[in-house]
Structure formats: C-alpha cells, structure tokens
Amino acid sequence: MAEGAYATNYDNKIFEKGHIDGDFGWRTLYSTIDLQKKLGETSDGIVGEKTFSRVNKHMYKIGGSTDSERTLYLRYEGKKHTFDLRRNTEGKYVFPDRKGDSRQAGYKYHSCG
C-alpha cells in the first residue's frame, strides 16, 4: 500500500508497488490491517468509510470534474508510493496495476479488476 504498510504479519516485508496485481488478496489484506493498526482503527482489513476518510487527505484533484457522473482524476501521495487514479462516471475508483493496466477497486468480487 502507498503508506508503506507491511504485506504480511510474519515476514516484515513492505508492500511494494510491484505487488499491485489488481487482486484484493492476502498481501492487500495484511497491509490494510497493518495500516489500520497504525491509524488506531479496528483492524478488519476492510477499507470502509472511516479508513478511507483517514487516508483521503493524501489524495488530491489533478484534473477532471468533482461533479457526480463526471470523471475525476486524482493523485495519491503516500509515505512510500505515489500513484494516479481516477473516479469514473459511476463513482468507482480505477487505478493502474503493476503492469500499467487499469483496475477497478472493489471487494465483492475479491478483485480490483
């Protein structure tokens, strides 16, 4: 994750940009839990409203429109990684994976793709 969270709870390896594969798998789960612990939040591994609002302060507009049903281009500047993403016309967040392909963030399909 962009904040430099650990990817596992046992090997102390930082979640690197190269780990981004578009799948909300075990690395993403552990790094989310690690980040939530650092933020003093409930460590459930789900980026809900509370977690998102805490990290949202690192995200800012670089283009597009903030109007609903319009595309908004954003940049996230974390402690470890910086990346660009967009909120599409459906209000869903899309970001590049390690290969540069666009991935849509989501939990219901256990994938961000």
Side-chain angles (χ1 to χ4, degrees):
M1 292 191 40
E3 296 304 312
Y6 288 98
T8 71
N9 63 353
Y10 60 87
D11 65 4
N12 291 327
K13 290 187 179 179
I14 297 289
F15 194 96
E16 296 295 337
K17 206 168 189 175
H19 292 146
I20 299 171
D21 60 5
D23 178 41
F24 195 96
W26 63 271
R27 283 188 174 119
T28 307
L29 175 65
Y30 283 121
S31 62
T32 301
I33 290 169
D34 183 58
L35 175 64
Q36 289 170 326
K37 287 178 183 176
K38 289 177 181 176
L39 295 173
E41 295 183 10
T42 301
S43 304
D44 59 7
I46 298 171
V47 182
E49 187 176 324
K50 188 174 181 182
T51 302
F52 189 80
S53 68
R54 295 282 302 273
V55 297
N56 192 37
K57 64 184 177 183
H58 300 288
M59 194 164 23
Y60 59 91
K61 177 183 172 183
I62 58 173
S65 174
T66 57
D67 294 340
S68 62
E69 300 182 12
R70 302 289 305 268
T71 300
L72 174 63
Y73 297 93
L74 303 157
R75 177 160 293 142
Y76 187 93
E77 289 188 358
K79 291 178 182 176
K80 179 82 173 150
H81 304 293
T82 295
F83 62 94
D84 293 344
L85 66 154
R86 73 181 185 276
R87 188 193 67 206
N88 67 20
T89 57
E90 298 174 343
K92 297 178 180 175
Y93 290 87
V94 179
F95 63 94
D97 66 10
R98 66 180 174 214
K99 296 178 183 177
D101 295 327
S102 293
R103 299 290 180 173
Q104 180 175 295
Y107 291 103
K108 293 182 180 177
Y109 33 84
H110 196 63
S111 172
C112 298

